[in-house]
Amino acid sequence: MPVIATQDLSSGDTTTHFATSPPMSTYLVALIMGNLTSVSTMVPHPEPGQPDRNVSIYGTPDRAGNLETALDITVKVLPAFESLFGIPYTLPKLDLIGIPDFAAGAMENWGLITYRETALLIDPQHASLPDLRSVAYIIAHEMTHQWFGDLVTCDYWGELWLNEGFATYFENYGATAARPEYRFFDTFYATQASLGQIVDAKNVSTHPLATITGVDSTGRVESFFDSISYNKGGSILRMMRAFLNNRRIGDEPYGLRRSLLQSDGDDVFIRSLQQYLRANEFSTGSSHKLWQTVAQVAGLPITRWMEQWTYHGGFPLVSATLQGSQVTVSQVPFTSQGPGTCDPTNTTGTPPWWIPLPFTTDSEDQLNWSIQLDTCVGGHAALINVDPSTQWVKLNAGQYGFYRVNYTQPMWASLAAAAAVSEGGAGTVLGSEDLAGLLDDAYQLSRAGQLSITVYLDLIRSLAQRAEPLVSAWLVGASPLVQIYQSLSMAEGKASCAAEWATFVQQNISSPVVANVTAGTNKGVSITGTISGTDADSESLRLLRPTLLSLAGYFNMTAVSQEAVQLLQDNANDVLGIDPDVRQLVYTQAVANGGAASYNIMQGLYLSASDPSEKERNLAALAYATDPDLRQQTLEMVLDDSVRSQDALSLLAGVAVRSNDAAHAAWSFLTENWTALFQKLGGDNEASRMMGKATQSIASHFAAQSQIDAVNALYTAREQYLSERSYFDNSIDSIQANIQWLRLNAEQVCLWLVAS
């Protein structure tokens, strides 16, 4: 609250009086003192006659030049949320502050939001598009909490998704209000829903969105700050909103969504949320209250539909079969260990989910939302009728639903053929989100032993033929290419196959897609090329460019790696002259391929950098060293005073992800320096949680029983430092999944390469 009076005392001290705070949860109270500078502006109140609100961005004096972008974003997000949620921001002021060493990233204290510096303060002249998007996302995420979390707090920590799920979803709306040209929703599936499904599919990590008992310790509460509360929670809200407003979404070609930032009264979901907020303001909300309100406003049995989604873990796998002019569907629980059992009686299996089934076909360019599935095996209501001449059918069109889809082999083959068809061809063209969903489903089904890996391989090969900059599809599809290479490299007797795979990707996927996207947009996808314009393709290509070039560099496209090394050497004294969209790529590829010379340049840049964002980029690049001695030098920096505690474990995890040898080196460093790392991180419960996450991150790259034994041994030796075993259970689960993938798919990949 703002200061209302000060009083000088005879002792020389000063008493400061603040305005009375509204009723609020104690965890949202913050008080900060320090040598700070700020920029401020007044934002009009949405209600006539009410005073304007003061909005300020704070930072340390050395960051005085990096405050304006955050202020510009904030003053656009605030009125957009007030209009959307139907309730004015409650306090007379809003302060956002960048803190130099802040492990949490950001915290939604009511009226005084705290951020890590790199999450708030940015130099737009030298920032990449991903950096600019990230700052807008994080500002909007914490501002969403001013309504969902602060004004209405979750009734119980086991319902944390009511805070974090809402913030994960609506951060996209806030960010869009500030920067509509960045097309935030275009990457929601790839960056949010997909991650939530990976965690929710594991038996050791899944949990209900809402757990109404048993969350009774600090460690248990901390465990709910995960991808289920955030990513799944946001995805469930997106699914329900899309269903309730399907006519608005479906009236544009291929389900292009509107920003819907205006509160114009015809959005059933938003009207429901406005009523939910008004009914529970300055108090607590619950999942039951939420769905009860949505059901009342929508006039639909939402409470019953959302029972399984809210109070049970996991999500469904929908299986589809096309016979003549009918598609039949059924559902079972999806897990990374294989399919579960759907049982409407809840005695021998999992009850069915209510599932909206939007679909599209090669002859139908609109999303059809007429079908829902709420039984284990689809009855008459879940039969999808299509034209007899239909070539392909895509379920979960637009990727609005939080579920996976498996098709028969002929249906997969037809979809792979459709994946190669670019815009401008005859009939409906599969868009980026749908291609992302197909790639993600195919790869994760192969990991679960429910589909041949060759389906994913055929799809990714088709995608390489597309000329459009399909951001979501490549953000999802590119990562498995590296994972397959690393998995083959771990397998006994598969070294030559791994090398053949690297050659195949370089020649048939990474190089062609760079050439195709360049030709399709007349824009250069190269390190030294520039991308101008504000059209959709330009923004998409800017976002996609580092991913494509990183993939090319990883798979030995020498034109990329050599150019990166040369650029770093030529610009060592003025690296800010390198295009910010590819500067991180230049750093990482130069360190990976430039030996000690490039490494020493990067280390010097890190030690001398004053800008936190640039310093973060420099440090991340040092993890790419491939020489064992240089890699060890990076690992030793983890404990060095030059590396802040907030960055230590991200550096360690960055080393582990580079290769199998790097993962083993990171594991050795973790186990040998456990106590020192724990103390550097603060030696408290938060340090315990972070050490568990580091263990899980590194162990996820292993694929042998001996490494499972090593994880168990580490837990036994360090149990006194740990508040939760869940991270170690997740580590073991990841290793077992990698072993399973190799057993089921390694030989198939090798045979597919021979046939190709």
Side-chain angles (χ1 to χ4, degrees):
M1 298 299 289
V3 173
I4 58 173
T6 59
Q7 179 182 3
D8 294 327
L9 305 179
S10 59
S11 62
D13 296 329
T14 300
T15 299
T16 302
H17 299 267
F18 297 89
T20 302
S21 299
M24 61 190 296
S25 296
T26 55
Y27 80 93
L28 297 170
V29 178
L31 181 66
I32 295 176
M33 293 176 285
N35 182 20
L36 301 169
T37 188
S38 68
V39 293
S40 303
T41 192
M42 302 301 291
V43 176
H45 198 285
E47 297 178 351
Q50 296 298 315
D52 295 348
R53 286 74 50 83
N54 186 64
V55 174
S56 301
I57 310 296
Y58 286 85
T60 53
D62 59 311
R63 303 306 309 280
N66 300 140
L67 307 177
E68 292 290 347
T69 296
L71 183 65
D72 181 67
I73 292 171
T74 303
V75 299
K76 292 174 179 176
V77 173
L78 184 61
F81 277 166
E82 290 181 315
S83 175
L84 187 69
F85 300 143
I87 295 179
Y89 173 69
T90 308
L91 305 183
K93 61 92 177 176
L94 176 62
D95 299 329
L96 287 69
I97 178 170
I99 298 176
D101 200 349
F102 190 50
M107 176 61 201
E108 66 269 20
N109 315 294
W110 207 349
L112 178 53
I113 308 175
T114 49
Y115 296 82
R116 186 181 295 197
E117 283 185 320
T118 53
L120 180 69
L121 310 180
I122 196 166
D123 178 359
Q125 299 301 314
H126 297 109
S128 67
L129 178 57
D131 290 340
L132 292 166
R133 283 169 56 94
S134 177
V135 166
Y137 268 131
I138 299 172
I139 289 175
H141 183 102
E142 303 307 324
M143 288 182 66
T144 304
H145 281 312
Q146 305 303 292
W147 285 265
F148 293 95
D150 296 5
L151 182 65
V152 179
T153 306
C154 60
D155 188 57
Y156 185 67
W157 283 113
E159 295 200 276
L160 181 67
W161 83 278
L162 293 171
N163 292 11
E164 301 302 346
F166 274 92
T168 299
Y169 178 58
F170 283 110
E171 68 184 18
N172 293 274
Y173 283 85
T176 297
R179 298 289 187 269
E181 69 275 15
Y182 290 168
R183 300 167 64 86
F184 292 96
F185 276 103
D186 283 5
T187 57
F188 185 94
Y189 175 77
T191 60
Q192 304 291 352
S194 177
L195 297 179
Q197 287 180 332
I198 290 172
V199 174
D200 202 26
K202 297 181 178 181
N203 290 334
V204 297
S205 57
T206 186
H207 61 78
L209 277 177
T211 300
I212 57 177
T213 60
V215 185
D216 50 12
S217 68
T218 301
R220 187 82 172 111
V221 169
E222 292 285 358
S223 71
F224 274 73
F225 286 85
D226 64 2
S227 286
I228 293 174
S229 296
Y230 284 75
N231 305 124
K232 180 180 181 179
S235 299
I236 296 303
L237 296 173
R238 176 175 178 258
M239 178 176 71
M240 177 53 70
R241 189 179 190 202
F243 172 77
L244 292 176
N245 296 288
N246 64 81
R247 291 175 185 166
R248 295 195 64 175
I249 293 174
D251 64 2
E252 300 177 41
Y254 212 71
L256 297 175
R257 80 286 305 150
R258 300 173 179 176
S259 67
L260 296 177
L261 284 169
Q262 70 280 5
S263 179
D264 55 11
D266 64 347
D267 186 316
V268 176
F269 188 70
I270 294 300
R271 284 193 284 117
S272 303
L273 297 187
Q274 292 173 350
Q275 184 168 315
Y276 167 79
L277 287 170
R278 285 193 295 268
N280 299 287
E281 60 183 339
F282 305 112
S283 185
T284 58
S286 66
S287 301
H288 179 72
K289 291 178 182 178
L290 171 67
W291 297 131
Q292 194 174 47
T293 303
V294 178
Q296 178 183 353
V297 174
L300 293 168
I302 303 295
T303 305
R304 175 172 61 82
W305 287 352
M306 299 310 292
E307 171 81 18
Q308 180 72 2
W309 288 108
T310 307
Y311 300 106
H312 298 267
F315 61 93
L317 167 67
V318 174
S319 296
T321 302
L322 175 61
Q323 294 179 322
S325 62
Q326 284 192 327
V327 179
T328 58
V329 294
S330 61
Q331 65 165 298
V332 295
F334 177 82
T335 76
S336 58
Q337 289 76 32
T341 302
C342 184
D343 174 22
T345 67
N346 197 23
T347 55
T348 61
T350 303
W353 284 265
W354 166 81
I355 306 171
L357 286 173
F359 68 92
T360 190
T361 72
D362 57 293
S363 59
E364 186 172 358
D365 63 358
Q366 300 292 319
L367 273 65
N368 188 318
W369 286 81
S370 63
I371 305 300
Q372 301 165 52
L373 176 65
D374 60 1
T375 59
C376 294
V377 179
H380 177 72
L383 286 175
I384 300 173
N385 294 302
V386 297
D387 189 282
S389 63
T390 294
Q391 298 297 308
W392 56 262
V393 179
K394 168 65 173 65
L395 274 65
N396 197 14
Q399 294 303 123
Y400 291 104
F402 194 79
Y403 53 89
R404 297 203 182 280
V405 182
N406 198 1
Y407 303 89
T408 61
Q409 193 60 39
M411 295 179 75
W412 275 117
S414 297
L415 287 164
V421 179
S422 296
E423 293 178 2
T428 302
V429 175
L430 285 167
S432 186
E433 283 79 12
D434 280 321
L435 283 172
L438 290 171
L439 287 160
D440 203 25
D441 287 349
Y443 183 66
Q444 296 302 330
L445 284 165
S446 79
R447 289 188 64 85
Q450 300 179 60
L451 187 68
S452 168
I453 185 63
T454 60
V455 173
Y456 165 81
L457 301 178
D458 291 338
L459 280 166
I460 197 74
R461 193 172 195 178
S462 297
L463 180 59
Q465 301 173 39
R466 295 287 289 268
E468 311 98 293
L470 302 172
V471 176
S472 287
W474 278 109
L475 290 179
V476 167
S479 180
L481 297 172
V482 175
Q483 293 174 17
I484 290 171
Y485 173 74
Q486 293 183 343
S487 296
L488 292 173
S489 300
M490 288 188 282
E492 186 176 350
K494 299 296 182 185
S496 61
C497 180
E500 291 171 10
W501 172 253
T503 300
F504 171 83
V505 173
Q506 195 274 319
Q507 293 178 351
N508 296 278
I509 297 178
S510 60
S511 295
V513 76
V514 168
N516 284 348
V517 171
T518 302
T521 60
N522 295 315
K523 305 247 182 0
V525 184
S526 65
I527 292 179
T528 54
T530 58
I531 299 173
S532 59
T534 58
D535 58 287
D537 274 356
S538 295
E539 294 298 331
S540 296
L541 193 57
R542 281 187 65 194
L543 193 59
L544 187 57
R545 181 181 172 203
T547 298
L548 296 180
L549 292 173
S550 294
L551 186 68
Y554 186 89
F555 286 106
N556 305 316
M557 188 174 177
T558 55
V560 172
S561 56
Q562 290 176 359
E563 191 170 20
V565 171
Q566 192 64 50
L567 266 174
L568 179 63
Q569 293 177 353
D570 292 346
N571 294 274
N573 295 321
D574 184 24
V575 290
L576 295 183
I578 301 173
D579 184 345
D581 283 348
V582 294
R583 193 183 305 141
Q584 182 73 64
L585 167 73
V586 170
Y587 290 171
T588 58
Q589 289 299 309
V591 171
N593 297 281
S598 292
Y599 184 93
N600 291 336
I601 291 173
M602 191 55 53
Q603 191 174 51
L605 289 171
Y606 169 72
L607 294 173
S608 62
S610 57
D611 180 81
S613 296
E614 184 66 13
K615 201 173 188 70
E616 189 175 82
R617 281 189 283 269
N618 301 147
L619 186 64
L622 292 173
Y624 280 70
T626 53
D627 177 84
D629 291 337
L630 295 176
R631 181 192 301 138
Q632 187 61 33
Q633 195 171 328
T634 299
L635 288 170
E636 290 170 0
M637 288 181 66
V638 171
L639 289 173
D640 191 85
D641 290 341
S642 65
V643 174
R644 287 175 171 170
S645 59
Q646 68 177 24
D647 301 320
L649 293 186
S650 62
L651 179 60
L652 184 60
V655 171
V657 77
R658 303 275 68 83
S659 68
N660 298 323
D661 289 343
H664 284 282
W667 179 262
S668 295
F669 186 87
L670 174 72
T671 56
E672 293 167 8
N673 296 278
W674 183 280
T675 303
L677 275 168
F678 182 74
Q679 293 302 323
K680 176 165 185 169
L681 297 173
D684 54 10
N685 283 336
E686 178 65 14
S688 171
R689 186 177 70 88
M690 293 172 70
M691 293 296 286
K693 290 183 69 174
T695 302
Q696 180 180 333
S697 176
I698 298 171
S700 67
H701 303 291
F702 297 148
Q705 179 61 45
S706 61
Q707 287 146 346
I708 292 177
D709 297 338
V711 170
N712 282 321
L714 179 62
Y715 181 80
T716 300
R718 303 298 184 183
E719 186 173 1
Q720 72 270 28
Y721 294 96
L722 301 165
S723 58
E724 284 283 319
R725 185 184 163 89
S726 60
Y727 295 109
F728 285 76
D729 291 336
N730 273 288
S731 300
I732 293 169
D733 183 82
S734 295
I735 298 171
Q736 290 172 334
N738 292 337
I739 293 172
Q740 174 177 276
W741 188 92
L742 286 172
R743 177 176 56 82
L744 296 172
N745 297 298
E747 188 60 25
Q748 286 193 61
V749 173
C750 299
L751 292 174
W752 186 88
L753 286 170
V754 172
S756 299

